[in-house]
């Protein structure tokens, strides 16, 4: 049997898939499926590229669509293609015919597909990069290439500046303006990969490296270990018997596209980045006696290290990647903790090593929230709106993660593309959840909703409907381009509503794909604190919204935050990890996080919030339910 998941709201190209949080499902932390998914994803991406290239070169529409469909099917598979191929069941996958199965086999055996290479040879080498510009699809790229001879981003910019693009059929001034914005956006996010993608690559490679002869230990360092939202390159450290042999094996891994450096203790390679292009991976081989010092050094950040080294110098010592020294005498080096302790600190968690006050705090850092403090997830979607799993499946997955509660928060009626619930469907849904609760053991479901904040600032359901729910997330999904005053007031109106427990993904950004709304953060945070409405830290790695610095300001102002995954399928519940790291980067403690409360405490919090807020003056926008 070949297992296929159910896809969320419509996605087209691989890039859209990466940008669209409803579709991306590459996250399977802590699961063996990680590497196998990498194969499925890589192949899905190649099939999408084949479709893109065919469209650019004017291929047959029927074939283009069949490759797009195949890409989607492969991306939706819950089983590893290698295993399916071994059973000779590729053609049993719905929608995979003989030709496509043949291409899959070629990819699995040879690591490439001839058709893909032939198509690539037909276009200028840097033309496909234009597809990375938000808002530029293969049709437009074809027009730019054929009509204007544009072969790369620089030539596109020149053509726009010369006024040629807006005169092209199908473009015009507005679309040209969007392309400029897209190019600027791309330039700003260039070279950095969202942590969720780097994470999968890093874990897969770590498994491989850990299997090399003589390798005793492999650890992540750099921005990945600090939990930064985007990663420049992946840094790893290992302890091994033979440095040179380890680096040789590292350089010879099948994933390697290019070896940048391969020495006795250090190697740098490029591997395929699912986002497009390559990502660099650095590996250093370090002896046991200085492992801690090297780990500290290569974890960074650079600013943090500089401050630490200054402190060492003040004491007349030396700190580098080999250890902490007083003259020739080694004071510490085996463990990171020793280095921090010798310098007079309690060990500083990697997430806060940014020179944002952690040095001044002199070891008196707050007790940061950990994943073990989390008692439930308060933002998930099921098949009733645009999720891929049933309520029962999510409940079971939540229970496996040791949670005591789970809020099912499907989309509201205005989110039409996400199959938002009409009032009738919502009420049936609530009843179904409450019924299921009666038989469910060890987990309580909260019947919730992710209610749209409409462009006039009202909510998508009236208050008397919201009152029938156990938990309400209010989010902006449309009208994000409105001016600062408008988007801020809409958010404030939602924060003021007594039924709204939390403001979902407050900034609306998609990392590397869409800018945050232009919000007045001071007002948002002040209002959230005053109304006792929690601000969400959405853990989806495309969002991480609130971001770290906003978490910090919010918790300092007395806001509660909710660390919630916005899962559209069960595996995404594990994105909690990214949210926790981001919360820690924002110095959040357990007590500042709503979903560390016990079920009883949470219910009391919701009840109190609903009753005490009646006295708050409504914002200038009408509330729903008048
Ligand atoms: P990234 O890769 O841009 O996301 O950020 P990082 O922090 O991973 O930076 P990376 O890969 O250049 O270097 C890894 C760590 O190595 C960095 O966080 C601190 C350390 N490091 C690198 N260069 C220097 C340096 O010139 N001075 C000091 N003190 N540390 C450095
Ligand atoms: Ca790095
Ligand atoms: Ca590096
Ligand atoms: Zn949402």
């Amino acid at each position: 049997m070949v297992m296929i998941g159910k896809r969320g709201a419509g996605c087209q190209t691989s890039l859209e898939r990466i940008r669209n949080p409803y579709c991306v499902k590459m996250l399977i932390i802590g699961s063996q499926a990680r590497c196998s998914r990498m194969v499925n994803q890589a192949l899905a991406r190649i099939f999408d590229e084949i479709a893109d290239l065919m469209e650019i070169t004017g291929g047959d529409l029927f074939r283009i669509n069949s490759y797009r469909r195949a890409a989607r099917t492969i991306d939706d598979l819950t089983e590893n293609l290698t295993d399916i191929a071994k059973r000779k069941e590729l053609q049993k996958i719905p929608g995979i015919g003989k030709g496509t199965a043949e291409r899959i086999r070629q990819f699995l055996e040879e690591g490439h597909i001839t058709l893909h290479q032939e198509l690539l040879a037909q276009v200028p080498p840097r033309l496909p990069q234009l597809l990375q510009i938000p808002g530029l699809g293969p049709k437009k790229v074809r027009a730019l290439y054929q009509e204007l001879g544009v072969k790369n981003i620089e030539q596109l910019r020149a053509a726009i500046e010369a006024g040629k693009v807006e005169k092209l059929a199908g473009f015009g001034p507005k679309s040209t303006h969007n392309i400029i914005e897209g190019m600027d956006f791309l330039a700003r996010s260039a070279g950095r990969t969202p942590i969720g993608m780097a994470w999968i690559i890093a874990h897969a490679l770590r498994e491989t490296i850990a299997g090399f002869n003589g390798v005793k230990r492999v650890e992540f360092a750099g921005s990945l270990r600090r939990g930064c939202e985007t990663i420049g390159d992946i840094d790893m450290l290992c302890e091994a018997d033979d440095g040179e042999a380890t680096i040789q094996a590292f350089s010879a891994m099948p994933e390697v596209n290019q070896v940048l450096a391969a020495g006795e203790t250090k190697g740098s390679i490029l591997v395929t980045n699912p986002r497009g292009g390559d990502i660099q991976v650095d590996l250093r081989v370090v002896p046991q006696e200085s492992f801690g010092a090297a780990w500290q050094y290569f974890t960074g950040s650079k600013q943090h290290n500089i401050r630490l080294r200054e402190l060492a110098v003040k004491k007349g010592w030396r700190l580098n990647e080999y250890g902490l020294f007083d003259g020739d005498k080694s004071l510490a080096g085996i463990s990171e903790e020793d280095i921090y302790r010798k310098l007079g600190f309690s060990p500083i968690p990697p997430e806060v090593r940014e020179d944002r006050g952690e040095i001044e705090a002199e070891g008196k850092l707050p007790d940061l929230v950990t994943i073990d403090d989390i008692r439930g997830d308060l933002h998930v979607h099921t098949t009733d709106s645009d999720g891929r799993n049933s309520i029962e499946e999510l409940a079971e997955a939540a229970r496996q993660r040791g949670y005591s509660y789970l809020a099912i928060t499907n989309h509201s009626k205005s989110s039409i593309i996400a199959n938002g619930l009409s009032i009738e469907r919502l009420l049936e849904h609530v009843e179904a959840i409450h019924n299921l609760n009666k038989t469910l053991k060890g987990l309580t479901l909260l019947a919730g909703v992710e209610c749209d904040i409409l462009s006039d600032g009202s909510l998508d359901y009236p208050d008397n409907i919201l009152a029938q729910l156990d938990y309400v997330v209010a989010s902006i999904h449309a009208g994000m381009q409105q001016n600062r005053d408008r988007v801020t007031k809409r958010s404030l109106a939602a924060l003021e509503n007594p039924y709204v427990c939390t403001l979902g993904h407050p900034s609306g950004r998609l990392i590397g794909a869409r800018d945050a709304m232009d919000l007045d953060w001071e007002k948002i945070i002040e209002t959230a604190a005053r109304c006792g409405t929690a601000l969400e830290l959405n853990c989806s790695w495309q969002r991480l919204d609130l971001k770290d610095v906003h978490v910090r300001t919010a918790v300092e102002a007395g806001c509660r935050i909710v660390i919630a995954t916005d899962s559209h399928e069960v595996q995404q519940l594990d994105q909690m990890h990214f949210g926790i790291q981001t919360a820690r980067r924002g110095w959040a403690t357990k007590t500042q996080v709503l979903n560390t409360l016990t079920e009883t405490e949470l219910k009391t919090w919701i009840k109190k919030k609903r009753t005490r807020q009646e006295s708050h003056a409504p914002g200038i926008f009408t509330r729903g339910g008048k």
Side-chain angles (χ1 to χ4, degrees), residues 246-263:
T246 306
I247 297 298
Q248 284 303 321
F250 174 68
S251 310
M253 293 186 299
E255 293 88 347
V256 177
N257 292 341
Q258 197 186 326
V259 178
L260 301 174

Side-chain angles (χ1 to χ4, degrees), residues 26-41 78-80 200 204 207 571:
M26 1 175 54
L27 259 184
I28 323 149
I29 303 162
S31 138
Q32 282 304 316
R34 233 184 275 117
C35 306
S36 52
R37 275 268 180 121
M38 261 180 97
V39 171
N40 292 13
Q41 281 159 21
T78 51
E79 202 193 349
N80 168 6
I200 303 170
E207 258 172 56
Q571 293 92 338

Side-chain angles (χ1 to χ4, degrees), residues 33-290:
R34 233 184 275 117
C35 306
S36 52
R37 275 268 180 121
M38 261 180 97
V39 171
N40 292 13
Q41 281 159 21
L43 191 63
R45 190 176 141 230
I46 290 181
F47 276 11
D48 258 330
E49 270 181 26
I50 289 177
D52 288 345
L53 289 164
M54 282 180 163
E55 218 168 330
I56 292 174
T57 52
D60 171 57
L61 203 62
F62 179 79
R63 284 186 78 202
I64 293 170
N65 286 335
S66 89
Y67 277 103
R68 290 232 191 277
R69 259 198 314 276
R72 207 169 302 174
T73 306
I74 291 166
D75 198 41
D76 278 350
L77 287 174
T78 51
E79 202 193 349
N80 168 6
L81 274 173
T82 319
D83 293 342
I84 303 174
K86 268 191 208 136
R87 294 199 309 269
K88 304 204 186 309
E89 287 189 354
L90 286 174
Q91 271 172 263
K92 289 197 180 159
I93 305 172
I96 302 292
K98 196 165 164 235
T100 319
E102 201 41 61
R103 301 213 151 89
I104 297 174
R105 259 192 299 276
Q106 186 188 17
F107 179 78
L108 294 176
E109 281 161 23
E110 298 167 31
H112 66 261
I113 297 175
T114 311
L115 172 69
H116 183 229
Q117 293 179 322
E118 286 169 358
L119 282 163
L120 277 173
Q122 286 175 36
V123 299
R126 291 173 57 219
L127 188 70
Q129 281 174 11
L130 295 187
L131 292 168
Q132 289 177 23
I133 300 170
L136 210 53
K139 270 197 201 69
K140 284 195 167 150
V141 171
R142 176 178 162 81
L144 290 165
Y145 176 48
Q146 292 223 314
E147 310 288 324
L148 302 177
V150 165
K151 296 193 185 87
N152 53 47
I153 291 185
E154 295 80 52
Q155 292 182 354
L156 174 59
R157 205 177 273 278
I160 290 173
E161 278 165 12
K164 290 180 190 161
V165 173
E166 60 185 87
K167 292 201 195 97
L168 269 187
F171 283 77
K174 176 141 199 293
S175 143
T176 308
H177 177 77
N178 288 343
I179 296 174
I180 297 173
E181 292 213 317
M183 282 195 292
D184 291 347
F185 194 92
L186 197 66
R188 281 200 302 279
S189 48
R192 300 199 65 84
T193 302
I195 189 167
M197 286 185 187
W199 184 267
I200 303 170
I201 300 167
H203 277 80
L205 295 180
R206 182 166 77 173
E207 258 172 56
T208 309
I209 296 166
F212 292 163
N213 263 339
V215 169
K216 300 193 171 105
R217 177 181 183 189
V218 192
E219 302 283 0
F220 299 134
S223 49
L224 187 79
R225 182 171 181 226
R226 301 200 309 282
C228 298
E229 60 190 41
T230 61
I231 306 301
D233 65 13
I234 296 170
D235 298 286
M236 289 196 235
L237 238 55
C238 78
E239 191 190 319
D241 294 335
D242 182 343
E244 203 169 352
T246 306
I247 297 298
Q248 284 303 321
F250 174 68
S251 310
M253 293 186 299
E255 293 88 347
V256 177
N257 292 341
Q258 197 186 326
V259 178
L260 301 174
E264 285 173 20
T265 60
K266 191 197 154 178
S268 285
I269 55 166
L270 296 181
V271 300
T272 300
N273 187 340
R275 189 161 178 252
D278 289 332
I279 181 166
Q280 183 176 331
V281 185
D282 293 343
L283 176 70
R284 290 173 183 86
V285 187
V286 175
Q288 192 196 7
E289 63 269 20
S290 58

Side-chain angles (χ1 to χ4, degrees), residues 21 23 34 39 70 135 152 171 176 188 258 295 317 320 322 337 367 377 418 437 470 484 556 559 591 616 621:
C23 306
R34 233 184 275 117
V39 171
N152 53 47
F171 283 77
T176 308
R188 281 200 302 279
Q258 197 186 326
W295 204 15
W317 299 338
N320 54 34
Y322 306 105
E337 288 81 4
D367 211 356
D377 204 329
N437 250 343
D470 304 323
R484 184 183 180 93
E556 277 172 3
C559 291
T591 53
H616 286 125
F621 291 87

Side-chain angles (χ1 to χ4, degrees), residues 3-23:
M3 296 295 292
I4 303 190
K6 193 169 151 280
R7 166 156 293 274
C11 302
Q12 289 298 309
T13 65
S14 55
L15 274 162
E16 261 176 67
R17 188 170 304 157
I18 284 162
R19 284 191 199 115
N20 186 339
Y22 300 127
C23 306

Side-chain angles (χ1 to χ4, degrees), residues 192 222-223 226 232-233 235 297-302 305 309:
R192 300 199 65 84
S223 49
R226 301 200 309 282
D233 65 13
D235 298 286
Y297 181 89
F298 291 111
T299 296
S301 68
K302 195 169 162 184
N305 286 357
R309 205 162 44 207

